[in-house]
Amino acid sequence: MNAELLAAFATFAFVSSVTPGPNNLMLLASGANFGLVRTIPHMLGIGIGFTVMIVLVGVGLMQVFDAVPASYTILKIVSVAYLLWLAFKIANAGAPQGGETQGTPMTFLQAAAFQWVNPKAWTMALTAITIYAPDRSLSAIVLVALVFGVINLPTVSTWTLIGQQMQRFLTDARRLRAFNWTMAALLVASLWPVLAG
């Protein structure tokens, strides 16, 4: 990958990582409900989990979709169902009691596993491999994964920090409930490209 193509790819990785999607909306909600420190495992799960996902998609999983097109449809159905369940959990997150929000933030393993049912993550991974590692050589795939890994973690962390800053506004149980319902609705709305496509 030459310098010009690398710069174009880094821009793609930045824009696709920092824009709203299921990961970022859940980090915003987690930052608001649990703060930065308790959300760190969730952030690391996204960053590392997505990097590993890119490598695995590049070295073989794309061929599964080529060979069995129905597998992509099954993935979409599972993804939509899981995201609807997560939206329900966010909408019904308990209001703070005694200064501590009820519930727990997503763990490292849960966040890493979530990448496999996240429609935006699949779109990003498939697009990156198709355009920026078309020969699917191991070196090109690893480079794509590393660039995403370096760019993804700081950009998604921004959403947690924004959520944490919102904690001051969300001290009232009604405002927190409204925020959680709004985040759940936005998470459901993020499914529109999947359902429309």
Side-chain angles (χ1 to χ4, degrees):
M1 191 180 298
N2 61 36
E4 188 176 318
L5 190 59
L6 184 59
F9 172 58
T11 302
F12 168 77
F14 174 78
V15 171
S16 60
S17 295
V18 79
T19 52
N23 279 326
N24 292 338
L25 293 172
M26 288 191 306
L27 287 172
L28 182 68
S30 187
N33 283 282
F34 305 111
L36 175 67
V37 173
R38 291 183 66 195
T39 306
I40 287 173
H42 186 168
M43 293 184 299
L44 292 173
I46 290 171
I48 295 169
F50 183 63
T51 302
V52 170
M53 179 185 180
I54 289 176
V55 172
L56 295 177
V57 165
V59 298
L61 290 177
M62 284 182 73
Q63 287 82 354
V64 172
F65 294 136
D66 294 339
V68 186
S71 62
Y72 193 64
T73 302
I74 293 168
L75 175 66
K76 279 185 180 183
I77 292 167
V78 170
S79 297
V80 167
Y82 187 69
L83 283 171
L84 290 173
W85 179 79
L86 281 175
F88 174 80
K89 295 288 280 180
I90 290 170
N92 292 293
Q97 290 185 349
E100 191 70 26
T101 301
Q102 293 179 327
T104 57
M106 199 175 257
T107 67
F108 173 86
L109 290 176
Q110 289 170 331
F114 174 70
Q115 303 319 298
W116 295 95
V117 294
N118 179 352
K120 184 180 177 189
W122 273 103
T123 301
M124 290 164 57
L126 293 170
T127 302
I129 296 298
T130 302
I131 296 174
Y132 298 102
D135 64 350
R136 296 187 194 168
S137 68
L138 185 58
S139 60
I141 291 166
V142 169
L143 179 61
V144 166
L146 288 175
V147 170
F148 250 118
V150 167
I151 291 173
N152 186 269
L153 189 58
T155 56
V156 300
S157 299
T158 302
W159 287 83
T160 305
L161 291 170
I162 293 169
Q164 182 181 26
Q165 293 305 309
M166 293 178 74
Q167 282 181 333
R168 286 178 264 170
F169 174 74
L170 301 174
T171 54
D172 178 73
R174 286 175 294 165
R175 285 193 296 243
L176 180 62
R177 194 174 315 113
F179 172 79
N180 286 341
W181 273 91
T182 301
M183 289 299 97
L186 289 172
L187 186 58
V188 171
S190 75
L191 293 172
W192 176 250
V194 176
L195 298 173

